[in-house]
Amino acid sequence: MTKLGTAFSEGIIAFIATNIDDIIILLIFFSQVDVNFRRRHILLGQYLGFAAITLASLPGFFGGLVVQREWIGLLGLLPIAIGIQQLVSRKEETTTVQTVSSDFTQSTPSNPVLSLILSILHPQTYKVAAVTIANGGDNISIYIPLFAGHDLTSLGVILSIFFIMVGVWCAIAYFLSLQPTIANILSRYGKAVVPFVLIGLGLFIMYERGTFTLLPWLRS
């Protein structure tokens, strides 16, 4: 597999593994859409929150510029540890999304640029962004080892995949919000798969970085 192909695969696997539970939150948001809480607030808030998580994970890339690639792969133990921890604990997590009420009805300006700016500055957008950051805080420990060991081009591929997938995730959640039966199945079984995907991702990171060659019996 080429370097860019590897980056493409890692980007998709990492995003899906770390954001399956985010679809449930997006489903909750889309079920609350009304005159003051629009779909654009959810989309923009999701992008703002995810951008903050990504920026917090970039030290992994810059650290990868000075640390030997094989040793960087040891960071793959982080997603493995998280996956094992989830398998061991199996604690039920309940996500509570508080509805923020507005005391005014905001009219939509005709100027699309002004409308976009007002949507970005809208409190509902920041509510979605805050929930995205809070729910995705653990993702940083996954993305740091993912970014490490890649060059700038591969990092660009991964980030492009990430931000494309944010839009895809919002679209999936919106359409699932129209199908209660499918949403219920995803809520019941989706989280059960996440630990195994995280463990597999960690092993893949270690394999791709050549970390297993550090083991004495694999050097010869």
Side-chain angles (χ1 to χ4, degrees):
M1 183 180 293
T2 65
K3 183 180 294 186
L4 293 183
T6 297
F8 183 85
S9 301
E10 288 187 358
I12 292 180
I13 293 171
F15 185 91
I16 293 175
T18 55
N19 290 279
I20 287 181
D21 56 340
D22 206 36
I23 287 187
I24 308 303
I25 296 177
L26 286 170
L27 283 169
I28 297 174
F29 279 138
F30 280 116
S31 68
Q32 296 177 336
V33 169
D34 57 24
V35 67
N36 288 317
F37 188 33
R38 307 294 182 85
R39 290 189 293 271
R40 61 175 178 269
H41 297 146
I42 301 173
L43 181 63
L44 291 172
Q46 186 76 358
Y47 268 106
L48 287 176
F50 193 80
I53 293 172
T54 302
L55 286 174
S57 306
L58 283 178
F61 168 71
F62 295 108
L65 297 179
V66 295
V67 180
Q68 186 178 352
R69 184 177 175 84
E70 288 79 6
W71 289 101
I72 287 172
L74 290 175
L75 292 174
L77 293 172
L78 288 174
I80 293 175
I82 293 173
I84 293 175
Q85 188 273 333
Q86 290 182 3
L87 284 175
V88 172
S89 62
R90 287 293 186 180
K91 293 181 179 178
E92 298 244 344
E93 296 179 359
T94 304
T95 304
T96 304
V97 180
Q98 296 180 346
T99 304
V100 178
S101 60
S102 301
D103 296 330
F104 61 93
T105 301
Q106 185 180 28
S107 59
T108 303
S110 56
N111 188 317
V113 176
L114 180 59
S115 176
L116 176 62
I117 294 174
L118 291 177
S119 295
I120 294 175
L121 298 177
H122 198 284
Q124 298 284 26
T125 299
Y126 288 104
K127 179 189 76 171
V128 176
V131 173
T132 300
I133 293 172
N135 184 60
D138 291 341
N139 294 6
I140 296 175
S141 61
I142 309 296
Y143 296 161
I144 286 178
L146 178 68
F147 294 165
H150 282 288
D151 57 24
L152 189 59
T153 303
S154 296
L155 177 67
V157 171
I158 292 176
L159 293 181
S160 298
I161 292 297
F162 274 10
F163 284 96
I164 290 173
M165 290 297 292
V166 169
V168 172
W169 235 231
C170 288
I172 291 174
Y174 172 69
F175 287 113
L176 284 178
S177 68
L178 306 178
Q179 305 292 332
T181 302
I182 297 178
N184 181 60
I185 294 175
L186 182 63
S187 177
R188 180 176 301 179
Y189 300 109
K191 289 186 178 181
V193 181
V194 173
F196 299 101
V197 177
L198 289 177
I199 293 172
L201 176 64
L203 291 173
F204 183 72
I205 289 173
M206 296 176 69
Y207 171 78
E208 198 277 330
R209 306 295 189 273
T211 304
F212 294 122
T213 60
L214 297 174
L215 299 174
W217 55 86
L218 293 179
R219 288 180 180 176
S220 56

mmCIF file of all heavy atoms in Angstrom, residues 25 28-29 32 93-99 127 131 134-135:
data_model
loop_
_atom_site.group_PDB
_atom_site.id
_atom_site.type_symbol
_atom_site.label_atom_id
_atom_site.label_comp_id
_atom_site.label_asym_id
_atom_site.label_seq_id
_atom_site.Cartn_x
_atom_site.Cartn_y
_atom_site.Cartn_z
ATOM 1 N N ILE A 25 -25.425 11.718 19.208
ATOM 2 C CA ILE A 25 -25.596 13.108 19.635
ATOM 3 C C ILE A 25 -26.170 13.947 18.500
ATOM 4 O O ILE A 25 -27.053 14.779 18.711
ATOM 5 C CB ILE A 25 -24.251 13.681 20.115
ATOM 6 C CG1 ILE A 25 -23.783 12.926 21.355
ATOM 7 C CG2 ILE A 25 -24.363 15.165 20.425
ATOM 8 C CD1 ILE A 25 -22.438 13.351 21.869
ATOM 9 N N ILE A 28 -29.800 13.453 18.226
ATOM 10 C CA ILE A 28 -30.520 14.231 19.240
ATOM 11 C C ILE A 28 -30.664 15.679 18.788
ATOM 12 O O ILE A 28 -31.732 16.295 18.914
ATOM 13 C CB ILE A 28 -29.801 14.152 20.595
ATOM 14 C CG1 ILE A 28 -29.792 12.709 21.104
ATOM 15 C CG2 ILE A 28 -30.460 15.067 21.618
ATOM 16 C CD1 ILE A 28 -28.970 12.505 22.362
ATOM 17 N N PHE A 29 -29.584 16.235 18.255
ATOM 18 C CA PHE A 29 -29.637 17.618 17.782
ATOM 19 C C PHE A 29 -30.656 17.790 16.661
ATOM 20 O O PHE A 29 -31.473 18.713 16.672
ATOM 21 C CB PHE A 29 -28.253 18.065 17.289
ATOM 22 C CG PHE A 29 -27.314 18.477 18.384
ATOM 23 C CD1 PHE A 29 -25.983 18.085 18.345
ATOM 24 C CD2 PHE A 29 -27.737 19.258 19.436
ATOM 25 C CE1 PHE A 29 -25.100 18.467 19.345
ATOM 26 C CE2 PHE A 29 -26.865 19.644 20.443
ATOM 27 C CZ PHE A 29 -25.549 19.248 20.393
ATOM 28 N N GLN A 32 -34.190 18.196 17.454
ATOM 29 C CA GLN A 32 -34.570 19.440 18.122
ATOM 30 C C GLN A 32 -34.643 20.630 17.179
ATOM 31 O O GLN A 32 -34.857 21.757 17.621
ATOM 32 C CB GLN A 32 -33.566 19.753 19.239
ATOM 33 C CG GLN A 32 -33.544 18.720 20.357
ATOM 34 C CD GLN A 32 -32.496 19.041 21.398
ATOM 35 O OE1 GLN A 32 -31.514 19.727 21.117
ATOM 36 N NE2 GLN A 32 -32.700 18.566 22.609
ATOM 37 N N GLU A 93 -22.974 4.945 29.208
ATOM 38 C CA GLU A 93 -22.836 6.385 29.205
ATOM 39 C C GLU A 93 -24.134 7.003 28.716
ATOM 40 O O GLU A 93 -24.679 6.600 27.705
ATOM 41 C CB GLU A 93 -21.688 6.812 28.293
ATOM 42 C CG GLU A 93 -20.338 6.305 28.770
ATOM 43 C CD GLU A 93 -19.227 6.738 27.832
ATOM 44 O OE1 GLU A 93 -19.555 7.411 26.825
ATOM 45 O OE2 GLU A 93 -18.080 6.402 28.107
ATOM 46 N N THR A 94 -24.581 7.974 29.451
ATOM 47 C CA THR A 94 -25.792 8.673 29.085
ATOM 48 C C THR A 94 -25.441 10.092 28.694
ATOM 49 O O THR A 94 -24.829 10.808 29.470
ATOM 50 C CB THR A 94 -26.797 8.715 30.253
ATOM 51 O OG1 THR A 94 -27.049 7.368 30.659
ATOM 52 C CG2 THR A 94 -28.088 9.398 29.848
ATOM 53 N N THR A 95 -25.756 10.423 27.479
ATOM 54 C CA THR A 95 -25.462 11.764 27.000
ATOM 55 C C THR A 95 -26.696 12.637 27.153
ATOM 56 O O THR A 95 -27.753 12.324 26.636
ATOM 57 C CB THR A 95 -25.061 11.742 25.515
ATOM 58 O OG1 THR A 95 -23.953 10.848 25.359
ATOM 59 C CG2 THR A 95 -24.681 13.131 25.031
ATOM 60 N N THR A 96 -26.531 13.727 27.874
ATOM 61 C CA THR A 96 -27.628 14.647 28.100
ATOM 62 C C THR A 96 -27.354 15.927 27.353
ATOM 63 O O THR A 96 -26.328 16.560 27.566
ATOM 64 C CB THR A 96 -27.789 14.958 29.595
ATOM 65 O OG1 THR A 96 -27.969 13.726 30.295
ATOM 66 C CG2 THR A 96 -28.983 15.879 29.834
ATOM 67 N N VAL A 97 -28.225 16.248 26.456
ATOM 68 C CA VAL A 97 -28.086 17.476 25.706
ATOM 69 C C VAL A 97 -29.153 18.442 26.188
ATOM 70 O O VAL A 97 -30.341 18.177 26.050
ATOM 71 C CB VAL A 97 -28.252 17.227 24.196
ATOM 72 C CG1 VAL A 97 -28.113 18.530 23.429
ATOM 73 C CG2 VAL A 97 -27.251 16.199 23.713
ATOM 74 N N GLN A 98 -28.711 19.540 26.782
ATOM 75 C CA GLN A 98 -29.639 20.522 27.304
ATOM 76 C C GLN A 98 -30.107 21.423 26.177
ATOM 77 O O GLN A 98 -29.322 21.868 25.343
ATOM 78 C CB GLN A 98 -28.969 21.368 28.388
ATOM 79 C CG GLN A 98 -28.561 20.556 29.611
ATOM 80 C CD GLN A 98 -27.909 21.429 30.662
ATOM 81 O OE1 GLN A 98 -27.546 22.567 30.374
ATOM 82 N NE2 GLN A 98 -27.781 20.905 31.847
ATOM 83 N N THR A 99 -31.404 21.663 26.157
ATOM 84 C CA THR A 99 -31.983 22.519 25.137
ATOM 85 C C THR A 99 -31.845 23.964 25.559
ATOM 86 O O THR A 99 -32.257 24.331 26.651
ATOM 87 C CB THR A 99 -33.477 22.191 24.934
ATOM 88 O OG1 THR A 99 -33.582 20.805 24.611
ATOM 89 C CG2 THR A 99 -34.060 23.056 23.831
ATOM 90 N N LYS A 127 -23.170 25.967 21.069
ATOM 91 C CA LYS A 127 -23.672 24.871 21.902
ATOM 92 C C LYS A 127 -23.298 23.530 21.276
ATOM 93 O O LYS A 127 -22.789 22.630 21.964
ATOM 94 C CB LYS A 127 -25.195 24.960 22.047
ATOM 95 C CG LYS A 127 -25.779 23.833 22.896
ATOM 96 C CD LYS A 127 -27.301 23.818 22.849
ATOM 97 C CE LYS A 127 -27.814 23.254 21.548
ATOM 98 N NZ LYS A 127 -29.274 23.041 21.548
ATOM 99 N N VAL A 131 -20.538 20.691 22.787
ATOM 100 C CA VAL A 131 -20.876 19.283 22.998
ATOM 101 C C VAL A 131 -19.949 18.384 22.174
ATOM 102 O O VAL A 131 -19.505 17.328 22.642
ATOM 103 C CB VAL A 131 -22.352 19.019 22.633
ATOM 104 C CG1 VAL A 131 -22.662 17.529 22.685
ATOM 105 C CG2 VAL A 131 -23.273 19.779 23.575
ATOM 106 N N ALA A 134 -16.610 18.290 23.993
ATOM 107 C CA ALA A 134 -16.704 17.505 25.228
ATOM 108 C C ALA A 134 -16.786 16.009 24.928
ATOM 109 O O ALA A 134 -16.137 15.185 25.582
ATOM 110 C CB ALA A 134 -17.920 17.948 26.035
ATOM 111 N N ASN A 135 -17.571 15.668 23.908
ATOM 112 C CA ASN A 135 -17.732 14.255 23.554
ATOM 113 C C ASN A 135 -16.497 13.690 22.857
ATOM 114 O O ASN A 135 -16.220 12.490 22.945
ATOM 115 C CB ASN A 135 -18.954 14.086 22.645
ATOM 116 C CG ASN A 135 -19.240 12.635 22.325
ATOM 117 O OD1 ASN A 135 -19.486 11.823 23.208
ATOM 118 N ND2 ASN A 135 -19.209 12.289 21.042
#
